[in-house]
Amino acid sequence: MNAMVKAEAVHKSFGPLEVLKGIDLEVASGEVFCIVGPSGSGKSTFLRCINHLEKINAGRLYVDGTLVGYREHGNKLYELRDREVAAQRRDIGMVFQRFNLFPHMTAVENVMEAPVQVKGESKASAQERARTLLDRVGLVDKTDTYPTQLSGGQQQRVAIARALAMEPKLMLFDEPTSALDPELVGEVLDVMRDLAQDGMTMIVVTHEMGFAREVGDSLVFMDDGVVVESGNPRDVLSDPQHERTKSFLSKVL
């Protein structure tokens, strides 16, 4: 199985604060890879490094065999130009905690925007595909609705459709349900389940342990900038080996 994502000794600091202290992991193509851990453990920062929203300070990150954000020449790394980074990002969809939809655009316009602006797709074909994607996330009746008229769960499903519109090979989810009312969480997780069944490679930072157990292929527990424990989600969640993992899970399960 080819690795879709490979992290080698990834370090990231913000000033004197070291947030990632040498992350090594691999995500296989088609895998649902869940990352859990307490707030401040570096989970979201690591996710942002994968599409170079944050620049790493040391180590290497590869997506589909390509070094992210840099080119390597004679063992030295040279940062890519913004345009080259943007080209890499096209293949990586990201869904944030906050939905970040354009408030002045309808649902269908939000989903169309990137294919038209970034890929130069015609408005007609982008609109047709946007409607198909909104149907896929169960919102075909909300195509002409503005974000303020949608519930949080509906907004997040539009955000997922928007990320899918670029036909990414990898989807990153940064705690996609944490800003939602509890009764709306299920509708977003259902969409993510469908994506997983379709074989989409997904890295999911989440507090939803039920989702991780049921849908995840692999799980890592991160704390204080390191991977403490990793394995099959069902094994890690039911029989954690490390005291720190046990302590964390005893509070959230």
Side-chain angles (χ1 to χ4, degrees):
M1 215 38 172
N2 289 341
M4 179 59 79
V5 177
K6 188 171 189 193
E8 298 176 349
V10 169
H11 288 256
K12 172 66 187 174
S13 298
F14 295 101
L17 178 67
E18 195 178 15
V19 179
L20 301 177
K21 303 174 181 176
I23 300 291
D24 292 288
L25 54 80
E26 271 191 36
V27 180
S29 189
E31 185 172 29
V32 178
F33 191 95
C34 297
I35 303 176
V36 303
S39 292
S41 57
K43 311 181 300 290
S44 293
T45 298
F46 176 66
L47 215 56
R48 293 170 66 83
C49 290
I50 293 173
N51 64 1
H52 207 60
L53 287 174
E54 299 290 355
K55 300 171 184 180
I56 63 177
N57 300 108
R60 304 276 192 279
L61 256 173
Y62 299 90
V63 171
D64 204 17
T66 302
L67 190 62
V68 172
Y70 301 90
R71 78 166 60 77
E72 193 164 3
H73 191 72
N75 266 354
K76 282 191 75 172
L77 291 183
Y78 299 90
E79 192 164 359
L80 297 178
R81 296 187 187 92
D82 288 349
R83 193 180 71 241
E84 297 169 300
V85 171
Q88 288 188 336
R89 262 192 213 129
R90 287 183 197 182
D91 291 333
I92 305 170
M94 185 147 184
V95 178
F96 301 88
Q97 282 179 20
R98 299 279 167 197
F99 328 118
N100 298 352
L101 297 176
F102 299 116
H104 62 289
M105 293 184 181
T106 62
V108 76
E109 288 167 344
N110 264 284
V111 179
M112 286 168 59
E113 179 72 359
V116 171
Q117 297 299 333
V118 179
K119 285 188 167 176
E121 208 173 299
S122 78
K123 281 195 170 168
S125 84
Q127 185 178 49
E128 190 179 334
R129 206 150 49 83
R131 287 179 185 279
T132 303
L133 287 168
L134 287 170
D135 187 27
R136 183 174 178 184
V137 298
L139 290 173
V140 74
D141 58 330
K142 301 290 185 190
T143 50
D144 299 319
T145 306
Y146 288 92
T148 51
Q149 301 163 299
L150 298 171
S151 72
Q154 289 169 335
Q155 289 186 59
Q156 192 60 296
R157 285 187 280 153
V158 173
I160 293 172
R162 182 179 61 179
L164 292 173
M166 290 296 283
E167 301 180 304
K169 53 176 103 165
L170 169 67
M171 285 283 282
L172 308 176
F173 291 89
D174 188 7
E175 299 190 20
T177 58
S178 64
L180 300 179
D181 293 334
E183 68 267 26
L184 302 178
V185 167
E187 63 191 53
V188 173
L189 294 180
D190 285 344
V191 171
M192 292 168 66
R193 274 189 198 93
D194 288 346
L195 282 180
Q197 284 171 347
D198 288 347
M200 173 63 77
T201 311
M202 297 157 63
I203 303 180
V204 185
V205 171
T206 186
H207 294 297
E208 301 292 336
M209 299 302 157
F211 175 85
R213 180 188 284 120
E214 178 198 340
V215 183
D217 298 301
S218 302
L219 179 140
V220 300
F221 169 66
M222 273 177 73
D223 188 33
D224 197 26
V226 298
V227 172
V228 176
E229 189 163 345
S230 62
N232 178 292
R234 289 157 285 291
D235 297 340
V236 175
L237 294 174
S238 60
D239 186 23
Q241 301 302 302
H242 291 259
E243 285 308 316
R244 185 68 194 88
T245 320
K246 287 176 188 170
S247 155
F248 171 74
L249 291 174
S250 71
K251 296 183 181 78
V252 297
L253 286 178

